[in-house]
Amino acid sequence: MFKKILFLLLTFINFGFITPFGLEVNDSINRGLQYLRLQQGQDGGWGRATGLAVLCFLEKRVSADSNAQISGYTNMSQEDQQIVINGIKYCINSVPGVSQNNAEAYDTSACLMAMSSYLSTGGPNLIGARMSVEGAINHSIETLRILQSRSDRLGFAYNVNNLHTDMSTTQFGMAGLYAAARINPLSINTLSLTRSFISASRNNNGGSSYQPNGNITHAMSASGIWTLLLSGLSVEDPSVQQSLLWLRNNYSFDNSNRIGDGRSYFYYLWSSAKALEVSTGNTAGMIYGDQIGGILDPIALGYQGENSRWYFDFAYNLINIQNNDGSWCNSNYQCWNQISATSYSLLVLMRSLGGVCIGDEDVDEFCNLEDNCPSASNPDQSDVDGDGIGDICDNCFDIQNVDQQDIDTDGVGDVCDPLICTYTEEEDICDGIDQDCDGLIDEDFVVNENTIEYCSTGQLGICSYGILNCISGSITCVPYNTAAVESCNYFDDDCDGIIDEGTINQCGQCGGIQIDICDGVDQDCDGEVDNHLNACPEYMICYNGECRNMCDIECPQQGTFCDNELNICLYPCDSITCSRNETCINDNFGCVDLCENIICNDDLICWQGQCVQNTCEIVGCDDGSICYDNECVPDVCQSVVCDTSSFCRNGQCIPSCAFISCRHNETCYDGLCLEDNDCDDCEELCQMISCDISDTCINGQCIEIECDNITCPNGQTCIENPRGAQCVRIKLILDEPDQGTILQDMFLLDLVDRGLENIYNDKKDMYNSDQNKYSSSKVSCQSNKDFKFDLFIIFLVFITFICFYRRNEKFK
């Protein structure tokens, strides 16, 4: 009666942790049970496998939690109760050795396991069978003992007509008698006598065979471990340890490397599962069940929270090979009997020991494997938080914590410990632990007391830079700035990866648009040069970027004449177009070949009156061509029209980096943010490298100068880059003494990240902070070319002066 009350109490126990894998296993179990329901005969039996089939209904867990209590008779549905009663009745009335003499080791033992589990979990004793259930249990015990006494080496043979003992019948006979101990404790008194046979069937390496001196198989080796434990040996016994070592070294969860009859797979699984389930302990140097298996990776298979061990291997394979009708035996996994194969599979998934109760350490009438607190007596099995650990053993009884983690070993689980602290003399470090036990965690931790170290937050824009700090026990890069409303300031304020979107003017800059003046530059970016009505003073007209006097007949300036069509004063050369190697001189009223009568060495040519190397870097190219790698090549960008978000390079429109904001330690190339190529000593490397006249040194390598042949959209400038010239947008900020603000720090870091630090350092003294003036300038990436151009202008002025002097001498 007491046991029935205990099982009634189980109905109210919280079902604990249910995982996705547990749900799949539970679904597989339900489909298997439905198959058995449909296969039950009119007489209530399933043939010789009746006892195994009945066990499947009794050993099912009350929930999808594999650690939940077994249902037993009391907690199953009325329909299943009747199915079980009919099966038990079949065992009593029809199975040899149960209510009749002459036991059959398999059949009688399986029914004895089922009847013992049935009666101990609240099943009625009188069910209208040939005798009571308890009487049938005691009769089965007696007939199996008679069979054992007549068998070789006191193991268990098939029956009294075939007394040749084997490992398979022995493990069944022993399991039946051990399960009956829950009803009749004297049933196990003769089990230790089987050790003589078990030892004779074991090989020197720990594996076991079907009979002594036979071939080792996986199924018999697993049965050997199970029988050694049922005989009363401990897991730490040398014989058990040697057998566990064999099973570990020859582990198999499928048929891929299993030794033995191919039809024994499901039998092998249940034999192994029982042996591994009860092989528990914590003695150093010993082998236990949880150290065997774990071939499959639950996380890789999509099952978070599952342990990688033998049970996951077995269960995963079983649920994936189950037939559509809920059974298991098929062409890939053969068997002797479909009912027994399906029953073995279900009992493995249920973690069933077949009604066997090995050990009750705390003597509370719950077996160790079924007890939620094996070390302390708790007959009520109370588990308030439902984590599978009884309240009396739970270090945090009202909050689920299966792992029972207790870092400071104070007996209070971390999930409910108000002060996790193991006192040490060390100062707090960033680890989420209160080393000095003052109730404050990591309060003494400082990343760097002397300087601020910027770090990458992984975000974009002004959110990309952060400061290292200790957050929740780990050093974290905390953003210095949070996202804000976007404003035109050359920063990505809203941290969306786009700079100044929706805020710039048509010149691609911030602020108002400058009015066109007469200088040959399109200040207001309307596509027309010098088109403002007030570009020149009154009585003057803008012509070719200069304000010219209006005229009727004569012009006041010496050397000019009045153009009757334009009504402005022009110089003679204003209306003359010379060839590339000629120069128009106003005093001559025409083009002059400055190279006339000049002879150069073979490796030089005359250009503009001077002997120079014959390279397009010096002499230039015809219209429609550009100078590339010291050769004039067709300008493939001449007819290409790109939108304002891109520029032409090598005949293709390339996305511009002007408005792209990257993460810290990334640089924009062709509109994409790519990881930086770290080069700590690039500047020193470039000082030691000599590049050709058409190359420049960047990041320690010589690259072809491309910017001379690239025109960027309004407000952008070209920079050289190892991956190709880039159009970017820069606002040069002149430092103020002792300013040192985070904004300037971020600005400088941003320039470095975008590969523009050289431009900032080289050009900030050359340009002021007038962004409109800067927008009309094009940054050259080769300073010596500016110097050459200046020399060329001086040379032209000198030639003009000589020609003017000779002309005056001629007319004197």
Side-chain angles (χ1 to χ4, degrees):
M1 184 65 181
F2 174 68
K3 292 179 180 177
K4 181 179 286 189
I5 294 174
L6 285 179
F7 268 82
L8 287 171
L9 288 173
L10 292 177
T11 306
F12 302 100
I13 294 177
N14 190 304
F15 286 173
F17 283 117
I18 297 178
T19 65
F21 183 67
L23 290 173
E24 290 188 29
V25 170
N26 194 58
D27 177 67
S28 179
I29 290 172
N30 288 333
R31 291 194 294 121
L33 289 176
Q34 181 60 23
Y35 172 80
L36 292 180
R37 292 186 186 98
L38 297 175
Q39 299 302 314
Q40 189 176 27
Q42 294 294 323
D43 56 3
W46 288 270
R48 297 190 62 190
T50 296
L52 295 174
V54 173
L55 268 177
C56 293
F57 290 92
L58 292 166
E59 297 285 290
K60 185 181 186 299
R61 305 280 172 169
V62 296
S63 76
D65 177 10
S66 63
N67 292 311
Q69 300 291 341
I70 62 172
S71 297
Y73 176 84
T74 304
N75 290 307
M76 66 176 63
S77 67
Q78 290 184 355
E79 291 79 6
D80 283 347
Q81 286 179 343
Q82 191 57 54
I83 288 175
V84 168
I85 289 175
N86 292 339
I88 296 294
K89 190 182 297 185
Y90 176 89
C91 282
I92 296 173
N93 294 338
S94 303
V95 175
V98 177
S99 62
Q100 309 167 45
N101 295 327
N102 300 329
E104 292 281 347
Y106 285 118
D107 310 33
T108 306
S109 299
C111 281
L112 183 55
M113 286 185 263
M115 292 187 297
S116 301
S117 178
Y118 162 83
L119 198 60
S120 65
T121 59
N125 188 28
L126 300 175
I127 58 175
R130 182 176 294 179
M131 62 174 62
S132 67
V133 178
E134 186 173 3
I137 291 173
N138 289 324
H139 188 78
S140 300
I141 294 172
E142 193 62 31
T143 58
L144 284 172
R145 280 181 171 175
I146 293 173
L147 179 61
Q148 180 187 13
S149 67
R150 297 180 181 179
S151 301
D152 297 339
R153 297 177 185 265
L154 295 179
F156 288 83
Y158 264 93
N159 51 47
V160 293
N161 298 319
N162 182 0
L163 296 177
H164 294 293
T165 305
D166 66 67
M167 182 61 72
S168 181
T169 52
T170 296
Q171 75 124 330
F172 260 83
M174 295 180 72
L177 291 176
Y178 211 114
R182 304 176 77 170
I183 307 301
N184 184 348
L186 299 178
S187 65
I188 62 175
N189 287 352
T190 63
L191 296 186
S192 61
L193 301 176
T194 60
R195 293 175 191 165
S196 173
F197 167 75
I198 299 170
S199 297
S201 300
R202 289 180 64 250
N203 191 282
N204 292 332
N205 62 6
S208 295
S209 57
Y210 181 68
Q211 290 180 327
N213 302 317
N215 295 323
I216 295 175
T217 67
H218 276 78
M220 295 304 102
S221 297
S223 299
I225 299 173
W226 179 234
T227 54
L228 284 173
L229 296 172
L230 292 177
S231 75
L233 296 182
S234 69
V235 179
E236 291 76 20
D237 184 89
S239 298
V240 178
Q241 284 293 300
Q242 188 182 34
S243 296
L244 285 170
L245 178 62
W246 187 95
L247 199 61
R248 185 176 72 177
N249 292 340
N250 297 276
Y251 174 76
S252 173
F253 68 93
D254 54 22
N255 269 334
S256 60
N257 63 335
R258 191 173 61 83
I259 304 172
D261 194 315
R263 296 169 293 179
S264 65
Y265 173 70
F266 302 101
Y267 173 97
Y268 155 72
L269 282 190
W270 193 39
S271 300
S272 296
K274 291 182 292 183
L276 297 175
E277 191 75 67
V278 298
S279 296
T280 59
N282 54 12
T283 302
M286 294 293 172
I287 300 174
Y288 297 105
D290 59 2
Q291 300 169 349
I292 297 176
I295 300 298
L296 300 178
D297 182 0
I299 296 177
L301 293 171
Y303 298 103
Q304 300 286 339
E306 297 295 331
N307 293 324
S308 178
R309 65 189 194 103
W310 65 265
Y311 177 77
F312 182 84
D313 294 344
F314 286 11
Y316 181 82
N317 196 48
L318 282 174
I319 65 178
N320 281 281
I321 65 173
Q322 187 176 19
N323 300 323
N324 293 332
D325 63 358
S327 65
W328 264 274
C329 189
N330 53 52
S331 59
N332 294 322
Y333 288 85
Q334 299 178 3
C335 63
W336 293 294
N337 179 282
Q338 183 65 272
I339 300 299
S340 61
T342 298
S343 299
Y344 291 142
S345 300
L346 288 172
L347 293 170
V348 171
L349 295 177
M350 296 172 182
R351 297 178 58 214
S352 168
L353 299 180
V356 170
C357 177
I358 294 184
D360 181 12
E361 182 181 340
D362 55 7
V363 197
D364 59 2
E365 298 196 37
F366 280 89
C367 303
N368 288 343
L369 288 176
E370 299 174 3
D371 197 340
N372 62 18
C373 183
S375 61
S377 179
N378 60 334
D380 62 358
Q381 296 287 283
S382 176
D383 182 13
V384 171
D385 57 11
D387 59 4
I389 301 170
D391 296 339
I392 194 172
C393 292
D394 200 338
N395 63 16
C396 190
F397 75 93
D398 57 351
I399 300 178
Q400 290 185 344
N401 62 330
V402 174
D403 59 9
Q404 295 287 287
Q405 181 171 297
D406 180 16
I407 291 178
D408 56 11
T409 65
D410 61 355
V412 181
D414 294 345
V415 296
C416 58
D417 194 342
L419 181 60
I420 299 176
C421 169
T422 302
Y423 182 78
T424 65
E425 295 182 358
E426 300 175 358
E427 292 186 352
D428 271 355
I429 60 176
C430 186
D431 59 359
I433 299 175
D434 181 14
Q435 275 88 1
D436 53 9
C437 297
D438 61 355
L440 302 175
I441 297 176
D442 302 338
E443 79 278 6
D444 297 327
F445 178 79
V446 178
V447 177
N448 193 321
E449 295 181 353
N450 300 317
T451 61
I452 296 177
E453 295 184 8
Y454 297 117
C455 54
S456 175
T457 64
Q459 301 181 46
L460 301 170
I462 63 171
C463 305
S464 64
Y465 298 95
I467 297 177
L468 294 176
N469 207 339
C470 183
I471 304 295
S472 300
S474 62
I475 300 176
T476 305
C477 188
V478 180
Y480 190 90
N481 296 290
T482 57
V485 177
E486 192 75 12
S487 61
C488 196
N489 57 4
Y490 297 83
F491 287 100
D492 177 15
D493 301 289
D494 56 6
C495 306
D496 64 351
I498 304 175
I499 299 172
D500 293 347
E501 71 268 30
T503 65
I504 61 172
N505 58 37
Q506 66 187 35
C507 290
Q509 297 292 344
C510 300
I513 299 175
Q514 190 176 13
I515 297 175
D516 258 355
I517 60 175
C518 185
D519 59 357
V521 178
D522 180 16
Q523 274 89 2
D524 57 6
C525 306
D526 62 354
E528 297 184 20
V529 177
D530 305 339
N531 62 329
H532 193 271
L533 294 177
N534 298 320
C536 290
E538 191 175 4
Y539 303 115
M540 298 188 79
I541 295 177
C542 186
Y543 180 79
N544 287 346
E546 295 181 2
C547 289
R548 302 290 182 91
N549 289 316
M550 298 175 63
C551 64
D552 292 327
I553 298 176
E554 297 182 353
C555 292
Q557 299 99 326
Q558 184 178 358
T560 64
F561 66 93
C562 183
D563 187 298
N564 295 326
E565 294 183 3
L566 299 176
N567 293 325
I568 57 173
C569 294
L570 299 179
Y571 291 100
C573 287
D574 285 335
S575 57
I576 297 175
T577 301
C578 298
S579 63
R580 289 183 57 245
N581 200 26
E582 292 181 332
T583 299
C584 182
I585 299 177
N586 287 316
D587 290 342
N588 284 353
F589 294 94
C591 298
V592 175
D593 183 2
L594 301 180
C595 289
E596 187 177 358
N597 300 323
I598 295 179
I599 300 175
C600 298
N601 295 334
D602 292 341
D603 57 341
L604 301 177
I605 65 169
C606 180
W607 176 253
Q608 298 293 340
Q610 192 175 25
C611 291
V612 298
Q613 291 182 344
N614 187 15
T615 66
C616 58
E617 289 288 335
I618 298 175
V619 303
C621 298
D622 294 332
D623 290 342
S625 298
I626 58 174
C627 183
Y628 186 80
D629 198 17
N630 287 330
E631 292 184 6
C632 289
V633 297
D635 184 1
V636 292
C637 283
Q638 187 175 33
S639 59
V640 177
V641 179
C642 302
D643 58 29
T644 56
S645 64
S646 60
F647 64 96
C648 181
R649 187 179 68 209
N650 297 329
Q652 294 183 342
C653 290
I654 305 298
S656 168
C657 287
F659 300 99
I660 302 298
S661 170
C662 296
R663 296 173 180 83
H664 184 37
N665 298 329
E666 289 183 342
T667 302
C668 178
Y669 301 104
D670 295 350
L672 299 176
C673 291
L674 304 177
E675 187 175 351
D676 286 341
N677 295 322
D678 293 333
C679 183
D680 296 332
D681 56 352
C682 284
E683 186 173 349
E684 296 179 4
L685 288 174
C686 282
Q687 291 177 355
M688 298 183 290
I689 293 176
S690 177
C691 298
D692 293 339
I693 190 172
S694 60
D695 294 347
T696 186
C697 181
I698 294 181
N699 289 353
Q701 57 182 311
C702 294
I703 64 170
E704 182 77 22
I705 293 176
E706 296 180 323
C707 281
D708 287 344
N709 301 318
I710 288 178
T711 301
C712 294
N714 289 328
Q716 301 177 29
T717 188
C718 181
I719 65 166
E720 301 292 350
N721 190 284
R723 298 176 187 261
Q726 304 288 317
C727 284
V728 298
R729 180 168 165 265
I730 315 169
K731 175 183 179 181
L732 297 179
I733 302 176
L734 298 180
D735 294 333
E736 297 178 6
D738 302 325
Q739 187 168 358
T741 63
I742 185 66
L743 183 62
Q744 276 201 328
D745 288 343
M746 285 184 58
F747 174 74
L748 291 172
L749 287 169
D750 183 61
L751 286 177
V752 173
D753 271 1
R754 294 164 64 191
L756 311 179
E757 69 275 19
N758 293 331
I759 291 181
Y760 183 83
N761 294 329
D762 294 342
K763 300 298 180 180
K764 71 177 181 180
D765 292 331
M766 187 184 300
Y767 296 92
N768 58 32
S769 59
D770 184 345
Q771 60 193 29
N772 290 314
K773 178 177 181 180
Y774 180 72
S775 70
S776 65
S777 303
K778 181 174 181 178
V779 178
S780 172
C781 298
Q782 189 179 8
S783 59
N784 63 343
K785 295 191 71 179
D786 293 334
F787 176 68
K788 285 185 177 182
F789 181 74
D790 293 342
L791 286 177
F792 178 65
I793 295 298
I794 294 173
F795 174 73
L796 287 180
V797 172
F798 174 74
I799 293 297
T800 301
F801 172 76
I802 294 298
C803 292
F804 179 75
Y805 175 78
R806 289 180 176 177
R807 180 174 179 274
N808 288 341
E809 287 293 321
K810 181 178 179 180
F811 287 99
K812 281 184 178 180

